[in-house]
Amino acid sequence: PRTNDVIFSLAFSTLTSTRIAGKPVARGTLFHNSKEMAPKKDTKGQKPQKGAAKKGAAPAAPAAPATVAPVKKAGEGINTKLALVMKSGKYTLGYKSTIKAIRSGKAQLILLSSNVPPLRKSEIEYYALLSKTLVEPYKGDNIALGTACGKYYRVSTMGITDAGDSDIIRSLQESA
């Protein structure tokens, strides 16, 4: 190897015997940080075997598949848009406050978790129909909706009164 490619380091062992590749090495031995650190076997006249694993080496990992999954753009999921609403917008969490926001006409979007009781769901949908508010079912349950809102408690219904910097209302109106 060329001398400018090899980084030398001085290794002092605190142990009485240091071993490199199974052979004892004296203290203060100068060696370099590269693959040539281990002593090589005498292989005069022998061809190197291709694909043969070295003794003690880990097995080679299988090659990655050739197909690549499509990558989502940043901010494309509803959870990221919801996080932006939580930071920059105005919202109400819970059944009672969502009903109050719908009745007063302040709510622009209502999110319902997948496990809202049917009676509550129909009541919220009825009020939203009267006030012409968009109702969107959330794919996760109330625990997942609470987590998406950044809260440590369950959230079954969420009313968004001001989306802030998020485009969640516009994107849901386009998809509907």
Side-chain angles (χ1 to χ4, degrees):
R2 297 183 304 218
T3 54
N4 59 354
D5 290 342
V6 179
I7 301 171
F8 288 92
S9 66
L10 187 61
F12 291 97
S13 172
T14 57
L15 301 172
T16 55
S17 65
T18 304
R19 294 185 172 266
I20 297 177
K23 296 187 178 182
V25 177
R27 284 189 192 175
T29 304
L30 186 68
F31 64 92
H32 55 85
N33 296 331
S34 70
K35 291 180 182 178
E36 289 84 20
M37 187 170 84
K40 293 183 180 181
K41 294 180 181 177
D42 186 23
T43 57
K44 291 183 180 178
Q46 296 178 0
K47 292 183 180 180
Q49 295 177 351
K50 292 185 179 181
K54 292 181 181 178
K55 196 173 194 179
T67 59
V68 178
V71 179
K72 275 191 167 184
K73 295 179 184 175
E76 202 172 289
I78 192 166
N79 286 349
T80 54
K81 292 177 183 178
L82 214 59
L84 194 56
V85 168
M86 299 301 286
K87 284 184 180 179
S88 65
K90 293 182 180 179
Y91 56 91
T92 58
L93 299 176
Y95 171 73
K96 286 183 180 180
S97 59
T98 303
I99 289 289
K100 287 178 185 176
I102 295 171
R103 283 182 182 166
S104 64
K106 293 179 182 176
Q108 297 176 355
L109 173 68
I110 307 298
L111 286 173
L112 299 174
S113 66
S114 63
N115 60 346
V116 175
L119 186 63
R120 282 190 179 182
K121 185 176 182 179
S122 63
E123 185 180 359
I124 288 173
E125 287 174 344
Y126 176 71
Y127 281 124
L129 180 74
L130 293 176
S131 66
K132 298 176 184 167
T133 305
L134 182 65
V135 177
E136 185 68 26
Y138 185 75
K139 288 189 169 106
D141 60 351
N142 55 2
I143 298 170
L145 183 58
T147 305
C149 293
K151 305 297 179 187
Y152 293 107
Y153 48 84
R154 299 170 184 152
V155 175
S156 61
T157 61
M158 175 184 184
I160 298 174
T161 56
D162 179 29
D165 296 333
S166 179
D167 64 339
I168 189 168
I169 297 170
R170 184 172 40 91
S171 64
L172 290 176
Q173 284 175 344
E174 289 174 2
S175 66

